[in-house]
Amino acid sequence: MIELPFTIPLPMLEHLSANAVLMVFAVMIPLFGAVLLPFFSRQPNTRDAISLLTGVALLFVVLQLLDVFNAGSRPFADVWELMPDFHLTFRLRPLGLVFALVASSLWIVTTLYGIGYMRGNKELHQTRFFTCFAIAIAATMGIAFSADLLTLFICYEVLSLSTYPLVTHKGDENARRGGRVYLGILMGASLGLLLPAIIVIWHVTGRLNFSIGGLVNGYFTPWQTGLLLAALVFGLAKSALMPLHRWLPSAMVAPTPVSALLHAVAVVKAGVFSVVMVIVYIFGFETLATITRTHWEAGSWLTYIACFTIIASSLVALRQDNLKARLAYSTIGQLSYVILGAALLSPLSLVGAAVHIVAHAFGKITLFFAAGAIYTASKKTRVSELGGIGRMMPWTMTAFTLGALSIIGVPPTIGFISKWYIFLGAMDTHHIIAVITLIISTLLNAAYLLPIIVSAFFGSAPEDSQPHGEAPRLMIWAMLLTAGATVILFFCSDGLLRIVGEIPSQWEPMHLL
Amino acid sequence: MLANALPVLHIILPILAAPLCIILSRFGRFAWCLTFAVTVIVFLTSVNLFEQVYTTGEAVRYYMGGWQPPFGIEYRIDLLSAAMLVLVSFVAMVVTPYMRVSAFDELIRERLPYFHAAFLMCLVGLLGILSTNDAFNLYVFLEISSLASYTLIALGRDRRALAAAFQYLVLGTIGATFLLIGVGYLYLMTGTLNITDLAIRLQAVEHTRPILIAFAFLAIGLCMKIALFPLHIWLPNAYAYAPSAVSAFLAAVATKVGVYAVLRFFYTLFGYDYSFSGMHLALIFIALSVPAMLIGSTVAIFQYNLKRMLAFSSIAQIGYITLGIGLASPLGLSAAIIHTFNHAIIKGALFLALGCFALRLGGKVSIEAVRGLGRQMPFTSAAFVVAGVGLIGAPLTSGFISKWYLLTAALDGGWWISATIVVVSSLLAIIYVWRVVEALYFGTPEPNRRPVVEAPAMMVIPLWILALAILWLGVDTRLTAGVAEMIAHALIPSPAPLTGDGV
């Protein structure tokens, strides 16, 4: 039990234990920062300092929660009665804690990078940018700790709405169109598929909370289970499962720090996190595994769609010359690794999926930071222009290399561990297609990332390029931090694996349909 | 003695104040002060009445002139009436400061005293409908509010306002006359006009032909008043060409009071079993709600005039409310009542925002005219976004609470297709709301438009009061969902939901 050195003044939190209050703080702290920031729009240094301080405070709280978790406690918080019978609830779960750790640590790094990028490119509307960032992180924390589908849905929607001004930051025609696709697909899927699915679950079972062993056991036939799973997974369009992936490339109109946030810190991670939570705690990991052994329609199709998404997006990524577009399609594929890991319904692949959330976050954010650094230093956006840039921007490209290795899954990066576990899970369930997909996609990942590195360090610069220096220092530090993390996490993966390993071992034997 | 007269204070005061506005005010300033004072007092009395009814659980009664029912006119304020009284008086109180700028800009100043008088009479008509327990008295107040609203609409700046008012007059009078015929037949068969008394006496004559006819006439008359498809024709023009404050006020409360009348007649007077099982009103409401939702939302997407767009959106939203009523279950009725409250505030806020734009743009609020206003009128545009997001039904807004209740009620009753239509209509709402948001924030202003600044505080503050209410009611739902569930359980005697087999 953590002893807080002060009493909680807010009356609504009086009934919560000190540990549970930490989760509420994790959501409130970024919101508090978001409220403060607009008042300092004329003082950029103060404003940016507040952003960073808020991030540090958040990380502190989340680390406290890690201590709480390691001490064996899993606090529960009934925060607010939204409607009669419906309470917003939080609970500390292993996967949520991991997600919160990733999001809170990367928020600080992204803020650092963002400050450097916005100042380096003399961008407008910086206050709006950092304010929406803070709201998005608050929503992400809410998603990470939500204990029921309604809380998850509310925070999920707030995330969509708060990232819209970020995606359309530039305010021009391109931004408008990109924003339209972004919000159209995300809100359309969530209001059209996710919300009805949630209401169906509530209507049939009378509950919405994430439960160990699943919530909907025995209420649905295999076909209904499959349809419900489809509605939920496609409703969670932030997971970018094809064919609802189009919003990701469209969101490339955003400035690079936003892309980093979208792809690594918050948005897509929230999508796949929610998908994994749904599979594990709504349908029940072991229950679904048992049903799908005899009825493919209940969930096996998800593995094939994930495999298709992985291969198709990697192939499309190969053909993209715009660096950020290439990285966007790479993300689509990487997200489907997580979905595949969860959909394979093997304990090993589930661990791999959870670790991949972390691995992809650090790897991809490094790549996006590098892309933004290249743009800030040289205004180059195309892969074909990047010849020889490794010599002019050695730090950037080193970071890029490490990030790429993690995405490809080469030891000693954390990306190797996650892919390895998913691979083991695929072998364990004898899912030949998944095994083949993993092998081919690793080759494809290498094919769309390695040539960039090779030509950057050993290639010759294009004829019309000007010589330029490195990116601003803040950006380099941010990049090296995340790149270093991919390696450090490889060597310190025990703690992570211990937390994540708890997920599959939580289920109890459940009665079958 | 004043405490005893409290239940009718909100009727007497506006009636007394309305002629004073005309007599004592030449250019409208005194009329406005009087109106504002009246709306504040009416709001306070409504809150007091609500508190009384909520805590004691009993209706407040007042007998006009001291004559006992069923011979005298009885005023009976139960929880539904009290909640609606608070809603209507709150909207009136918020719109009145707004009117000080908006109406004074849009109308010739010689007409302003008449405008305020008509506003007060419209208000008293609406409040009277909510308070009375006498069927004919309800008709009288309905006519008072309708006549006053015809006047208010006709005062609009656009010349088409006259035609719109006339169209509304014709259709509204037909509706009110149908209502009168219905009430007449009821009186014929039972000899009483008191609603509570009618409810008792009707049981003996339920299946006689005059009562069946009365039911039909009442249904059609009331559906005309709430603009249920296909009797909605008067609404788009009326809301589009009326003065901005009038559009906001009418859009917020006029149809909602009509919904109250529907509930009062079909739940209290005729009784739940007779209306919904016996006379299949439930099926009719559901069947008409579906095209209302679809057609309203779809046509809204193609409108250039933003007020017309919101008017068609209202038609769709009224479809939600009637769907909730048609589901004929406590959950469905709760959903309808919740959406009545929430939509009133959301639509009110949206129309107030458009009025702010109209003030600065010189009248015409079209999708082209508002381009780029997001930067020049930030507070108004932000409020529009908040209200628009509420209309879509995103979480943390009151609109989400209504959607949730409505969808759960529809699925609870087995009405899968209706639930799907609700979802489709919400998706369509995203389209027409986001069109405006994009125009506001991404559009480049028309080249020859004069430079605009933010609307005056007296318009923006009422707007933001409503916008904040939308956000607050999305989080703290005791006033909307809590009260609605209590009302629904009071109105429906025994929960006997209709199960649908397909629609």
Side-chain angles (χ1 to χ4, degrees), chain A residues 488-508:
Chain A
I488 295 174
L489 281 170
F490 174 82
F491 291 107
C492 303
S493 54
D494 298 345
L496 176 62
L497 284 170
R498 188 175 37 81
I499 298 177
V500 164
E502 191 183 304
I503 306 176
S505 66
Q506 270 176 346
W507 40 258
E508 307 135 18

PDB file of all heavy atoms in Angstrom, chain A residues 488-508:
ATOM      1  N   ILE A 488      18.017  -1.339 -24.790  1.00  0.00           N
ATOM      2  CA  ILE A 488      18.024  -1.561 -23.342  1.00  0.00           C
ATOM      3  C   ILE A 488      16.901  -2.517 -22.943  1.00  0.00           C
ATOM      4  O   ILE A 488      17.078  -3.414 -22.125  1.00  0.00           O
ATOM      5  CB  ILE A 488      17.894  -0.219 -22.603  1.00  0.00           C
ATOM      6  CG1 ILE A 488      19.121   0.639 -22.878  1.00  0.00           C
ATOM      7  CG2 ILE A 488      17.709  -0.434 -21.110  1.00  0.00           C
ATOM      8  CD1 ILE A 488      19.029   2.017 -22.316  1.00  0.00           C
ATOM      9  N   LEU A 489      15.742  -2.316 -23.558  1.00  0.00           N
ATOM     10  CA  LEU A 489      14.605  -3.175 -23.219  1.00  0.00           C
ATOM     11  C   LEU A 489      14.894  -4.630 -23.538  1.00  0.00           C
ATOM     12  O   LEU A 489      14.375  -5.535 -22.896  1.00  0.00           O
ATOM     13  CB  LEU A 489      13.348  -2.713 -23.958  1.00  0.00           C
ATOM     14  CG  LEU A 489      12.650  -1.505 -23.335  1.00  0.00           C
ATOM     15  CD1 LEU A 489      11.582  -0.986 -24.265  1.00  0.00           C
ATOM     16  CD2 LEU A 489      12.045  -1.889 -22.000  1.00  0.00           C
ATOM     17  N   PHE A 490      15.713  -4.842 -24.582  1.00  0.00           N
ATOM     18  CA  PHE A 490      16.059  -6.221 -24.925  1.00  0.00           C
ATOM     19  C   PHE A 490      16.761  -6.883 -23.763  1.00  0.00           C
ATOM     20  O   PHE A 490      16.507  -8.031 -23.402  1.00  0.00           O
ATOM     21  CB  PHE A 490      16.916  -6.223 -26.185  1.00  0.00           C
ATOM     22  CG  PHE A 490      17.441  -7.569 -26.562  1.00  0.00           C
ATOM     23  CD1 PHE A 490      16.651  -8.463 -27.252  1.00  0.00           C
ATOM     24  CD2 PHE A 490      18.733  -7.944 -26.224  1.00  0.00           C
ATOM     25  CE1 PHE A 490      17.121  -9.710 -27.601  1.00  0.00           C
ATOM     26  CE2 PHE A 490      19.217  -9.193 -26.572  1.00  0.00           C
ATOM     27  CZ  PHE A 490      18.413 -10.083 -27.265  1.00  0.00           C
ATOM     28  N   PHE A 491      17.686  -6.115 -23.162  1.00  0.00           N
ATOM     29  CA  PHE A 491      18.477  -6.720 -22.101  1.00  0.00           C
ATOM     30  C   PHE A 491      17.737  -6.726 -20.772  1.00  0.00           C
ATOM     31  O   PHE A 491      18.040  -7.527 -19.900  1.00  0.00           O
ATOM     32  CB  PHE A 491      19.816  -5.983 -21.961  1.00  0.00           C
ATOM     33  CG  PHE A 491      20.709  -6.208 -23.145  1.00  0.00           C
ATOM     34  CD1 PHE A 491      20.926  -5.198 -24.066  1.00  0.00           C
ATOM     35  CD2 PHE A 491      21.302  -7.434 -23.357  1.00  0.00           C
ATOM     36  CE1 PHE A 491      21.733  -5.415 -25.176  1.00  0.00           C
ATOM     37  CE2 PHE A 491      22.110  -7.661 -24.459  1.00  0.00           C
ATOM     38  CZ  PHE A 491      22.329  -6.651 -25.365  1.00  0.00           C
ATOM     39  N   CYS A 492      16.776  -5.817 -20.625  1.00  0.00           N
ATOM     40  CA  CYS A 492      16.053  -5.745 -19.359  1.00  0.00           C
ATOM     41  C   CYS A 492      14.632  -6.209 -19.541  1.00  0.00           C
ATOM     42  O   CYS A 492      13.707  -5.645 -18.953  1.00  0.00           O
ATOM     43  CB  CYS A 492      16.041  -4.312 -18.839  1.00  0.00           C
ATOM     44  SG  CYS A 492      17.673  -3.648 -18.646  1.00  0.00           S
ATOM     45  N   SER A 493      14.424  -7.222 -20.339  1.00  0.00           N
ATOM     46  CA  SER A 493      13.051  -7.582 -20.673  1.00  0.00           C
ATOM     47  C   SER A 493      12.381  -8.419 -19.601  1.00  0.00           C
ATOM     48  O   SER A 493      11.200  -8.715 -19.688  1.00  0.00           O
ATOM     49  CB  SER A 493      13.019  -8.336 -21.995  1.00  0.00           C
ATOM     50  OG  SER A 493      13.900  -9.431 -21.927  1.00  0.00           O
ATOM     51  N   ASP A 494      13.123  -8.796 -18.572  1.00  0.00           N
ATOM     52  CA  ASP A 494      12.529  -9.685 -17.562  1.00  0.00           C
ATOM     53  C   ASP A 494      11.309  -9.068 -16.912  1.00  0.00           C
ATOM     54  O   ASP A 494      10.267  -9.717 -16.772  1.00  0.00           O
ATOM     55  CB  ASP A 494      13.555 -10.012 -16.472  1.00  0.00           C
ATOM     56  CG  ASP A 494      14.733 -10.748 -17.041  1.00  0.00           C
ATOM     57  OD1 ASP A 494      14.600 -11.235 -18.171  1.00  0.00           O
ATOM     58  OD2 ASP A 494      15.755 -10.809 -16.359  1.00  0.00           O
ATOM     59  N   GLY A 495      11.493  -7.843 -16.463  1.00  0.00           N
ATOM     60  CA  GLY A 495      10.389  -7.201 -15.761  1.00  0.00           C
ATOM     61  C   GLY A 495       9.150  -7.125 -16.635  1.00  0.00           C
ATOM     62  O   GLY A 495       8.040  -7.459 -16.220  1.00  0.00           O
ATOM     63  N   LEU A 496       9.367  -6.722 -17.863  1.00  0.00           N
ATOM     64  CA  LEU A 496       8.249  -6.602 -18.791  1.00  0.00           C
ATOM     65  C   LEU A 496       7.578  -7.942 -19.006  1.00  0.00           C
ATOM     66  O   LEU A 496       6.351  -8.069 -18.946  1.00  0.00           O
ATOM     67  CB  LEU A 496       8.758  -6.025 -20.117  1.00  0.00           C
ATOM     68  CG  LEU A 496       7.753  -5.913 -21.258  1.00  0.00           C
ATOM     69  CD1 LEU A 496       6.634  -4.978 -20.878  1.00  0.00           C
ATOM     70  CD2 LEU A 496       8.440  -5.412 -22.514  1.00  0.00           C
ATOM     71  N   LEU A 497       8.404  -8.965 -19.211  1.00  0.00           N
ATOM     72  CA  LEU A 497       7.829 -10.285 -19.480  1.00  0.00           C
ATOM     73  C   LEU A 497       7.089 -10.814 -18.264  1.00  0.00           C
ATOM     74  O   LEU A 497       6.083 -11.519 -18.390  1.00  0.00           O
ATOM     75  CB  LEU A 497       8.923 -11.263 -19.909  1.00  0.00           C
ATOM     76  CG  LEU A 497       9.400 -11.048 -21.346  1.00  0.00           C
ATOM     77  CD1 LEU A 497      10.626 -11.868 -21.644  1.00  0.00           C
ATOM     78  CD2 LEU A 497       8.287 -11.413 -22.322  1.00  0.00           C
ATOM     79  N   ARG A 498       7.599 -10.447 -17.081  1.00  0.00           N
ATOM     80  CA  ARG A 498       6.913 -10.933 -15.887  1.00  0.00           C
ATOM     81  C   ARG A 498       5.529 -10.322 -15.770  1.00  0.00           C
ATOM     82  O   ARG A 498       4.534 -10.991 -15.463  1.00  0.00           O
ATOM     83  CB  ARG A 498       7.753 -10.628 -14.649  1.00  0.00           C
ATOM     84  CG  ARG A 498       7.205 -11.265 -13.380  1.00  0.00           C
ATOM     85  CD  ARG A 498       8.135 -11.044 -12.209  1.00  0.00           C
ATOM     86  NE  ARG A 498       8.752  -9.731 -12.232  1.00  0.00           N
ATOM     87  CZ  ARG A 498       8.174  -8.608 -11.813  1.00  0.00           C
ATOM     88  NH1 ARG A 498       6.949  -8.660 -11.344  1.00  0.00           N
ATOM     89  NH2 ARG A 498       8.795  -7.461 -11.874  1.00  0.00           N
ATOM     90  N   ILE A 499       5.459  -9.015 -16.036  1.00  0.00           N
ATOM     91  CA  ILE A 499       4.152  -8.354 -15.957  1.00  0.00           C
ATOM     92  C   ILE A 499       3.217  -8.927 -17.012  1.00  0.00           C
ATOM     93  O   ILE A 499       2.076  -9.302 -16.732  1.00  0.00           O
ATOM     94  CB  ILE A 499       4.306  -6.837 -16.175  1.00  0.00           C
ATOM     95  CG1 ILE A 499       5.170  -6.226 -15.093  1.00  0.00           C
ATOM     96  CG2 ILE A 499       2.943  -6.174 -16.197  1.00  0.00           C
ATOM     97  CD1 ILE A 499       5.406  -4.754 -15.311  1.00  0.00           C
ATOM     98  N   VAL A 500       3.734  -9.003 -18.226  1.00  0.00           N
ATOM     99  CA  VAL A 500       2.882  -9.399 -19.331  1.00  0.00           C
ATOM    100  C   VAL A 500       2.495 -10.862 -19.232  1.00  0.00           C
ATOM    101  O   VAL A 500       1.420 -11.286 -19.646  1.00  0.00           O
ATOM    102  CB  VAL A 500       3.606  -9.093 -20.656  1.00  0.00           C
ATOM    103  CG1 VAL A 500       2.982  -9.813 -21.799  1.00  0.00           C
ATOM    104  CG2 VAL A 500       3.599  -7.606 -20.894  1.00  0.00           C
ATOM    105  N   GLY A 501       3.410 -11.661 -18.651  1.00  0.00           N
ATOM    106  CA  GLY A 501       3.131 -13.085 -18.546  1.00  0.00           C
ATOM    107  C   GLY A 501       1.960 -13.392 -17.649  1.00  0.00           C
ATOM    108  O   GLY A 501       1.414 -14.501 -17.685  1.00  0.00           O
ATOM    109  N   GLU A 502       1.572 -12.414 -16.877  1.00  0.00           N
ATOM    110  CA  GLU A 502       0.439 -12.654 -15.997  1.00  0.00           C
ATOM    111  C   GLU A 502      -0.864 -12.727 -16.761  1.00  0.00           C
ATOM    112  O   GLU A 502      -1.845 -13.284 -16.300  1.00  0.00           O
ATOM    113  CB  GLU A 502       0.381 -11.521 -14.967  1.00  0.00           C
ATOM    114  CG  GLU A 502      -0.592 -11.784 -13.843  1.00  0.00           C
ATOM    115  CD  GLU A 502      -0.634 -10.600 -12.913  1.00  0.00           C
ATOM    116  OE1 GLU A 502       0.443 -10.222 -12.417  1.00  0.00           O
ATOM    117  OE2 GLU A 502      -1.733 -10.062 -12.707  1.00  0.00           O
ATOM    118  N   ILE A 503      -0.893 -12.140 -17.952  1.00  0.00           N
ATOM    119  CA  ILE A 503      -2.173 -12.047 -18.662  1.00  0.00           C
ATOM    120  C   ILE A 503      -2.740 -13.423 -19.013  1.00  0.00           C
ATOM    121  O   ILE A 503      -3.872 -13.722 -18.654  1.00  0.00           O
ATOM    122  CB  ILE A 503      -2.043 -11.196 -19.937  1.00  0.00           C
ATOM    123  CG1 ILE A 503      -1.452  -9.838 -19.605  1.00  0.00           C
ATOM    124  CG2 ILE A 503      -3.390 -11.045 -20.600  1.00  0.00           C
ATOM    125  CD1 ILE A 503      -1.199  -8.997 -20.814  1.00  0.00           C
ATOM    126  N   PRO A 504      -1.994 -14.283 -19.703  1.00  0.00           N
ATOM    127  CA  PRO A 504      -2.615 -15.557 -20.050  1.00  0.00           C
ATOM    128  C   PRO A 504      -2.842 -16.455 -18.851  1.00  0.00           C
ATOM    129  O   PRO A 504      -3.720 -17.303 -18.878  1.00  0.00           O
ATOM    130  CB  PRO A 504      -1.638 -16.201 -21.034  1.00  0.00           C
ATOM    131  CG  PRO A 504      -0.384 -15.454 -20.890  1.00  0.00           C
ATOM    132  CD  PRO A 504      -0.656 -14.145 -20.296  1.00  0.00           C
ATOM    133  N   SER A 505      -2.078 -16.249 -17.775  1.00  0.00           N
ATOM    134  CA  SER A 505      -2.252 -17.161 -16.655  1.00  0.00           C
ATOM    135  C   SER A 505      -3.362 -16.724 -15.739  1.00  0.00           C
ATOM    136  O   SER A 505      -3.599 -17.316 -14.713  1.00  0.00           O
ATOM    137  CB  SER A 505      -0.945 -17.252 -15.858  1.00  0.00           C
ATOM    138  OG  SER A 505      -0.679 -15.991 -15.268  1.00  0.00           O
ATOM    139  N   GLN A 506      -4.104 -15.666 -16.136  1.00  0.00           N
ATOM    140  CA  GLN A 506      -5.150 -15.165 -15.259  1.00  0.00           C
ATOM    141  C   GLN A 506      -6.444 -15.923 -15.423  1.00  0.00           C
ATOM    142  O   GLN A 506      -7.299 -15.886 -14.561  1.00  0.00           O
ATOM    143  CB  GLN A 506      -5.448 -13.698 -15.581  1.00  0.00           C
ATOM    144  CG  GLN A 506      -4.622 -12.719 -14.818  1.00  0.00           C
ATOM    145  CD  GLN A 506      -4.914 -11.317 -15.280  1.00  0.00           C
ATOM    146  OE1 GLN A 506      -5.530 -11.113 -16.319  1.00  0.00           O
ATOM    147  NE2 GLN A 506      -4.499 -10.354 -14.515  1.00  0.00           N
ATOM    148  N   TRP A 507      -6.610 -16.535 -16.596  1.00  0.00           N
ATOM    149  CA  TRP A 507      -7.932 -17.115 -16.799  1.00  0.00           C
ATOM    150  C   TRP A 507      -8.128 -18.357 -15.957  1.00  0.00           C
ATOM    151  O   TRP A 507      -7.244 -19.099 -15.694  1.00  0.00           O
ATOM    152  CB  TRP A 507      -8.195 -17.394 -18.281  1.00  0.00           C
ATOM    153  CG  TRP A 507      -7.042 -17.943 -19.082  1.00  0.00           C
ATOM    154  CD1 TRP A 507      -6.269 -17.227 -19.923  1.00  0.00           C
ATOM    155  CD2 TRP A 507      -6.558 -19.270 -19.127  1.00  0.00           C
ATOM    156  NE1 TRP A 507      -5.334 -18.034 -20.498  1.00  0.00           N
ATOM    157  CE2 TRP A 507      -5.467 -19.299 -20.044  1.00  0.00           C
ATOM    158  CE3 TRP A 507      -6.920 -20.456 -18.492  1.00  0.00           C
ATOM    159  CZ2 TRP A 507      -4.770 -20.434 -20.334  1.00  0.00           C
ATOM    160  CZ3 TRP A 507      -6.214 -21.596 -18.781  1.00  0.00           C
ATOM    161  CH2 TRP A 507      -5.150 -21.590 -19.702  1.00  0.00           C
ATOM    162  N   GLU A 508      -9.344 -18.493 -15.543  1.00  0.00           N
ATOM    163  CA  GLU A 508      -9.716 -19.696 -14.820  1.00  0.00           C
ATOM    164  C   GLU A 508     -10.521 -20.559 -15.767  1.00  0.00           C
ATOM    165  O   GLU A 508     -11.069 -20.071 -16.718  1.00  0.00           O
ATOM    166  CB  GLU A 508     -10.587 -19.337 -13.610  1.00  0.00           C
ATOM    167  CG  GLU A 508      -9.969 -18.303 -12.714  1.00  0.00           C
ATOM    168  CD  GLU A 508     -10.992 -17.250 -12.330  1.00  0.00           C
ATOM    169  OE1 GLU A 508     -12.194 -17.530 -12.482  1.00  0.00           O
ATOM    170  OE2 GLU A 508     -10.604 -16.177 -11.897  1.00  0.00           O
TER     171      GLU A 508
END
